[in-house]
Amino acid sequence: MNTREASRPELSFQVTNVELGLRQGLVTMTDPEFTTRDPAPDRVGICEVEALETQTKALRSVDYQSGGGMCRDAVVVRIHRGHRMLAMSISKPLRARLFSAVADLHNLAGWTCFDSGHVGSAHHHLDLALALAANGENDELAANIHYRRGRIHLHNGTPDDALAQFQLGQLAARRSGSKLAASILSANQSWAYAKKGEANLAVGLLDRAREEFAERDESSPPDWARFFTHIDVSAMAGSVHTDLALRAGGRHIGLAISALVKAVRGYGPGMARSRSLCLIMLATNHLLDGDSDEALAVGTEAIEAAEVLKSVRTRDRLRPLEQEAGKHLDDPDCRVLSDSVAAFVTGPTGT
């Protein structure tokens, strides 16, 4: 196999009924972004690569706002276009950028599959993304891909596997020199240690993440890392202290509530899924704090926010809230909250 053949992984999935998916509103809020023509059959230029990057950015916005189920099919369409472009004639400097563009499409596809409950497909796309990022010599993107692989493991209850990915991502972030990427990886390592109940390591890494974030280059963050703002730093702090609170209670409850309130207030409609996830954790902490009335109010808001998302992951994250409320069924507010969450998570997913 020659170098070019090795650098173009085969796609083992199919696109079906694309036009029907578009008509059903999968990407209606970004329709103008998908009006560019296919590139000429023999050559790719800067305009075609920039168009692919712009479409990925638009689809990522749909994912943040409405969940992966809303745009997964449209992302796959763009992947096929990207791989056709890699087979065309293109200048050497631009080819590296195209490798990164197609890698990021697979990166986004992996994330939308994960959010939609298609974990096998998510791993497949992220494997391809990592190979393409290496071909593009893009360590910063590789760091982000490792972060996303780690988050899948974290969600599925295997923090040691998550840590392995986060640590690989941290190495890639250091090679790239990106303090923003390093901050994302440190914050997620902190969360993994919190899930293992290792409070000292978790808090230490959270402090490191804040320091790296303060040292980041604010001029032009790459699109795949743009989500990680000071609001998301607060959300990560809330996530870390929530898991520590579930194990040890104490001061972690108050620290989690403070950080999550800040995150919930900061997230706008463009980050609806992140806001929903923070509301879930906030309601959980109010239960741990013995404030069932506030837990019911915030939990109800979390369910309402989740109802408009096509995100299996959001439903999965509601289950611990149901379990915590179920420990206090003698409390009327807890009983209502437990029943409401149970009714939602067992309902149709719409993905």
Side-chain angles (χ1 to χ4, degrees):
M1 181 181 291
N2 61 37
T3 302
R4 175 172 291 186
E5 289 171 338
S7 66
R8 294 205 305 271
E10 292 293 321
L11 298 181
S12 62
F13 49 87
Q14 297 180 345
V15 180
T16 58
N17 241 344
V18 172
E19 291 301 323
L20 177 60
L22 294 173
R23 292 191 192 109
Q24 288 175 336
L26 290 173
V27 290
T28 52
M29 66 189 75
T30 54
D31 282 344
E33 302 292 349
F34 300 96
T35 58
T36 57
R37 289 186 174 183
D38 279 327
D42 58 345
R43 188 165 186 83
V44 176
I46 184 66
C47 291
E48 287 78 21
V49 177
E50 287 180 344
L52 199 64
E53 293 169 339
T54 298
Q55 291 164 5
T56 305
K57 182 178 180 178
L59 285 164
R60 182 169 272 119
S61 295
V62 176
D63 170 62
Y64 287 146
Q65 183 171 347
S66 302
M70 188 66 78
C71 60
R72 186 181 67 248
D73 291 348
V75 176
V76 172
V77 175
R78 294 306 164 303
I79 285 174
H80 281 267
R81 174 178 294 181
H83 279 270
R84 289 201 303 273
M85 291 166 66
L86 282 172
M88 298 174 192
S89 176
I90 185 171
S91 66
K92 187 175 180 180
L94 192 56
R95 178 166 289 277
R97 182 169 172 180
L98 179 57
F99 270 123
S100 291
V102 180
D104 193 30
L105 267 171
H106 278 292
N107 188 29
L108 178 57
W111 197 245
T112 60
C113 286
F114 166 45
D115 197 52
S116 305
H118 302 280
V119 177
S121 294
H123 284 300
H124 172 69
H125 281 294
L126 293 174
D127 286 346
L128 291 174
L130 202 57
L132 289 162
N135 278 311
E137 299 182 348
N138 193 330
D139 285 324
E140 191 172 5
L141 178 54
N144 189 268
I145 296 164
H146 280 297
Y147 145 71
R148 295 180 190 277
R149 290 172 94 179
R151 284 294 289 267
I152 295 174
H153 290 302
L154 205 60
H155 182 81
N156 289 329
T158 54
D160 288 326
D161 291 334
L163 278 169
Q165 289 298 320
F166 294 149
Q167 288 159 2
L168 288 171
Q170 190 69 267
L171 292 174
R174 288 173 186 165
R175 290 195 300 269
S176 75
S178 170
K179 289 290 186 179
L180 180 60
S183 178
I184 294 170
L185 270 302
S186 292
N188 281 274
Q189 287 179 76
S190 171
W191 196 7
Y193 278 116
K195 286 187 176 293
K196 287 165 63 70
E198 299 186 31
N200 290 338
L201 283 170
V203 172
L205 280 160
L206 188 58
D207 288 341
R208 182 198 293 177
R210 290 184 175 117
E211 292 169 4
E212 290 164 337
F213 184 79
E215 296 169 0
R216 74 196 185 284
D217 178 4
E218 298 185 61
S219 58
S220 55
D223 182 59
W224 57 80
R226 198 178 298 273
F227 75 94
F228 201 72
T229 65
H230 68 280
I231 300 168
D232 217 71
V233 173
S234 292
M236 286 303 303
S239 302
V240 168
H241 285 294
T242 295
D243 272 291
L244 293 175
L246 284 166
R247 286 177 171 267
R251 68 186 184 93
H252 297 294
I253 298 173
L255 290 170
I257 290 173
S258 177
L260 291 167
V261 166
K262 183 177 179 181
V264 167
R265 288 175 178 170
Y267 282 131
M271 296 293 285
R273 183 179 56 209
S274 294
R275 184 174 184 274
S276 174
L277 295 173
C278 285
L279 284 167
I280 294 166
M281 290 186 288
L282 182 57
T284 303
N285 280 283
H286 282 306
L287 282 177
L288 294 173
D289 202 33
D291 191 348
S292 60
D293 181 64
E294 188 65 15
L296 176 58
V298 175
T300 300
E301 187 178 358
I303 294 169
E304 290 172 351
E307 283 175 340
V308 299
L309 298 170
K310 288 198 172 183
S311 170
V312 172
R313 182 162 54 109
T314 305
R315 290 172 176 265
D316 289 344
R317 292 277 290 276
L318 274 161
R319 295 183 191 278
L321 176 60
E322 179 190 358
Q323 292 168 3
E324 197 60 38
K327 296 177 182 178
H328 310 282
L329 293 181
D330 55 330
D331 183 309
D333 290 331
C334 289
R335 188 163 56 251
V336 171
L337 180 57
S338 178
D339 290 345
S340 297
V341 175
F344 176 71
V345 300
T346 58
T349 64
T351 60

